[in-house]
């Protein structure tokens, strides 16, 4: 397998100059990935960011390796899915360790080349991950009605250090507020289009940071390391959902109907309780897997939300509840909301929850 390596040079410069260097590296990585497309599988794309910094400790480093290997090993058990895996390490060196492939045995051995140590510039790792995310529609995969964007999977204790401190063995005693802000800005931008899954490892991980990173992304969440193998089955369960014989637009939150459809569609198959939970979650979160055009429309609406555009819609300040055509899972937390703006999507104005934004849990 061809393997490219180029470390970011240590630079005592501000974030803006450092960002330019990182974007240049991301462009180089993107070019190398395109050269290696022959080794890509046909399935979804996954970028793993593996924290190998000193703060993890030997026990945390062992836990990280076991978690990563468990996920990749589970991928190998479903060759029909052909998951693509890329690996970025974040520690003594922060770089792509492997570009996308489905050569799982080689991928599992890649950490043999890595030693524990160094700082943890997570913002740097997320910045260079852009080289593996492709253009606007690059590296997306379609499963039925589901548009699956490349996923970012962070396995870390969440203890970010200086963005510009790439090679130093000297760790700062306290993470600065500025570094934390940069990390959240970078992950927020990536999370607009891509899910970020965070797997906490180590003795005392920073769960607040990890939860915030995943929660502000599109469909991301915290994954406990003890269910890593189940997490690796997500694409398989998504393909199952894409083949179900009912209209999820209206029924995606009806668990009984989903399970009935599952049995009818796959009468000879058995699904574990955790698989069933995943299948129900995927159905209820289907709007998260819309096309890029749908995402861009959402962003456009968000930029100009707080206006009362349509006299046929409830005025701003009205109290409302979900209607029968609600299709956004538990985003309303099963409670009432307040109209704070009208959508531009006139074609949907007959559906109250599609044409307004709700402020939740006010009662």
């Amino acid at each position: 397998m061809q393997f490219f390596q180029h470390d970011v040079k240590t630079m005592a410069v501000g974030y803006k100059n450092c960002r330019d260097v990182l974007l240049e590296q991301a462009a180089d990585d993107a070019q190398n990935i395109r050269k290696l497309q022959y080794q890509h599988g046909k399935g979804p794309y996954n970028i793993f960011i593996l924290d190998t910094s000193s703060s993890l400790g030997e026990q945390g480093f062992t836990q990280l390796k076991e978690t990563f290997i468990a996920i990749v090993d589970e991928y190998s058990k479903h060759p029909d899915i052909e998951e693509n895996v890329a690996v970025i390490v974040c520690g003594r060196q922060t770089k792509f360790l492997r570009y996308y492939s489905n050569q799982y045995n080689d991928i599992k051995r890649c950490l043999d080349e890595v030693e524990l140590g160094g700082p943890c510039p997570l913002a740097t790792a997320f910045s260079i991950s852009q080289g593996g995310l492709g253009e606007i529609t690059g590296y997306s995969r379609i499963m039925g009605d589901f548009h699956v964007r490349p996923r970012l999977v962070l396995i870390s204790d969440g203890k970010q250090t200086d963005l510009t401190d790439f090679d130093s063995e000297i760790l700062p005693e306290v993470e600065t507020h500025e570094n934390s802000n940069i990390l959240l800005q970078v992950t927020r931008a990536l999370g607009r289009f891509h899910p970020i899954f965070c797997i906490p490892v180590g003795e005392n991980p920073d769960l607040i940071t990890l939860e915030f990173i995943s929660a502000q992304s599109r469909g991301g969440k915290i994954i406990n390391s003890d269910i890593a193998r189940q997490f690796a089955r997500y694409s398989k369960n998504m393909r199952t959902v894409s083949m179900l014989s009912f209209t999820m637009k209206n029924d995606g939150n009806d668990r009984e109907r989903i399970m009935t459809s599952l049995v009818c569609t796959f009468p000879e198959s058995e699904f574990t309780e955790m698989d069933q939970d995943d299948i129900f979650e995927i159905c209820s979160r289907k709007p998260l897997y819309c096309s890029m055009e749908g995402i861009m429309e959402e962003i456009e609406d968000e930029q100009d939300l707080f206006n009362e555009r349509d006299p046929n819609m409830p005025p701003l300040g009205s109290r409302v509840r979900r209607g029968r055509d609600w299709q956004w899972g538990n985003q309303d937390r099963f409670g009432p909301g307040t109209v704070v703006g009208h959508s531009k999507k006139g074609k949907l104005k007959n559906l109250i929850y599609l044409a307004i934004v709700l402020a939740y849990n006010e009662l």
Side-chain angles (χ1 to χ4, degrees), residues 104-120:
Y104 302 123
N105 286 333
D106 174 76
I107 293 168
K108 285 190 291 185
R109 292 194 299 267
C110 73
L111 284 182
D112 295 344
E113 308 164 12
V114 178
E115 295 181 358
L116 175 69
C120 181

Side-chain angles (χ1 to χ4, degrees), residues 13 33 43 62 68 84 93 100 114 121 127 134 139 145 170-171 189 196 204 224 262 304 314 317 339 344 349:
V13 295
I33 288 171
T62 299
F68 175 66
N84 290 290
Q93 296 177 321
Y100 287 127
V114 178
S127 294
Y139 302 128
D145 293 333
I170 302 174
L171 301 180
I196 303 175
N204 186 29
N224 292 327
L262 187 64
D304 191 21
V339 179
K344 293 180 180 179
K349 62 186 179 183

Side-chain angles (χ1 to χ4, degrees), residues 152-168:
L152 291 159
V153 184
L154 171 65
I155 308 180
S156 171
D157 63 4
K159 297 175 182 177
Q160 151 90 350
T161 56
D162 191 351
L163 175 75
T164 63
D165 189 5
F166 298 116
D167 299 308
S168 173

Side-chain angles (χ1 to χ4, degrees), residues 255-274:
R255 186 182 179 104
E256 182 178 356
R257 185 164 183 173
I258 292 169
M259 294 302 110
T260 300
S261 178
L262 187 64
V263 172
C264 293
T265 307
F266 302 96
E268 304 299 323
S269 301
E270 293 185 5
F271 297 91
T272 68
E273 185 174 346
M274 296 183 75

Side-chain angles (χ1 to χ4, degrees), residues 15 120-123 126 158-163 174-188 206 208-210 212-213 216:
Y15 169 59
C120 181
L122 289 178
F126 277 106
K159 297 175 182 177
Q160 151 90 350
T161 56
D162 191 351
L163 175 75
V174 180
E175 176 189 355
T176 68
H177 182 67
E178 180 182 3
N179 290 332
S180 179
N181 283 341
I182 292 172
L183 173 62
L184 296 181
Q185 289 172 18
V186 172
T187 53
R188 185 182 299 116
D206 184 348
I208 293 177
T209 295
L210 295 175
F212 197 87
I213 289 172
Q216 67 177 351

Side-chain angles (χ1 to χ4, degrees), residues 10-56:
T10 303
M11 301 179 66
V13 295
Y15 169 59
K16 290 184 179 179
N17 290 338
C18 182
R19 180 179 58 188
D20 291 340
V21 175
L22 295 174
L23 291 176
E24 183 179 347
Q25 177 171 346
D28 290 342
D29 287 320
Q31 184 177 4
N32 291 330
I33 288 171
R34 285 193 293 270
K35 290 178 180 177
L36 296 173
Q37 283 188 337
Y38 65 86
Q39 67 183 22
H40 296 189
K42 297 179 180 179
Y45 287 83
N46 306 272
I47 298 180
F48 285 82
I49 298 176
L50 306 181
D51 175 1
T52 60
S53 65
S54 298
S55 66
L56 215 58

Side-chain angles (χ1 to χ4, degrees), residues 54-173:
S54 298
S55 66
L56 215 58
E58 291 291 346
Q59 184 176 352
F61 189 47
T62 299
Q63 185 183 9
L64 176 145
K65 290 191 288 187
E66 290 175 348
T67 301
F68 175 66
I69 290 172
I71 293 173
V72 178
D73 186 58
E74 186 66 27
Y75 286 164
S76 69
K77 294 180 179 179
H78 309 286
D80 52 323
I81 300 296
E82 293 190 77
E83 299 269 10
N84 290 290
V85 176
V87 180
I88 294 173
V89 288
C90 179
R92 185 173 286 124
Q93 296 177 321
T94 300
K95 63 187 181 183
F96 267 96
L97 192 62
R98 289 290 188 276
Y99 293 126
Y100 287 127
S101 83
N102 59 354
Q103 304 300 310
Y104 302 123
N105 286 333
D106 174 76
I107 293 168
K108 285 190 291 185
R109 292 194 299 267
C110 73
L111 284 182
D112 295 344
E113 308 164 12
V114 178
E115 295 181 358
L116 175 69
C120 181
L122 289 178
T124 302
F126 277 106
S127 294
I128 66 175
S129 74
Q130 295 176 74
L133 297 177
E135 304 299 332
I136 292 296
T137 58
Y139 302 128
S140 289
R141 288 292 182 260
I142 297 178
M143 294 183 176
D145 293 333
F146 293 84
H147 294 253
V148 185
R149 303 283 296 161
R151 309 172 182 122
L152 291 159
V153 184
L154 171 65
I155 308 180
S156 171
D157 63 4
K159 297 175 182 177
Q160 151 90 350
T161 56
D162 191 351
L163 175 75
T164 63
D165 189 5
F166 298 116
D167 299 308
S168 173
E169 288 293 336
I170 302 174
L171 301 180
E173 293 182 2

Side-chain angles (χ1 to χ4, degrees), residues 2 5 32 35 44 70 90 123 134 139 160 169 194 211 216 237 253 273 288 305 313 363:
Q2 192 173 2
Q5 172 179 330
N32 291 330
K35 290 178 180 177
C90 179
Y139 302 128
Q160 151 90 350
E169 288 293 336
H194 306 278
E211 287 175 355
Q216 67 177 351
N237 286 327
N253 297 296
E273 185 174 346
L288 294 174
L305 280 174
M313 295 298 299
L363 292 181

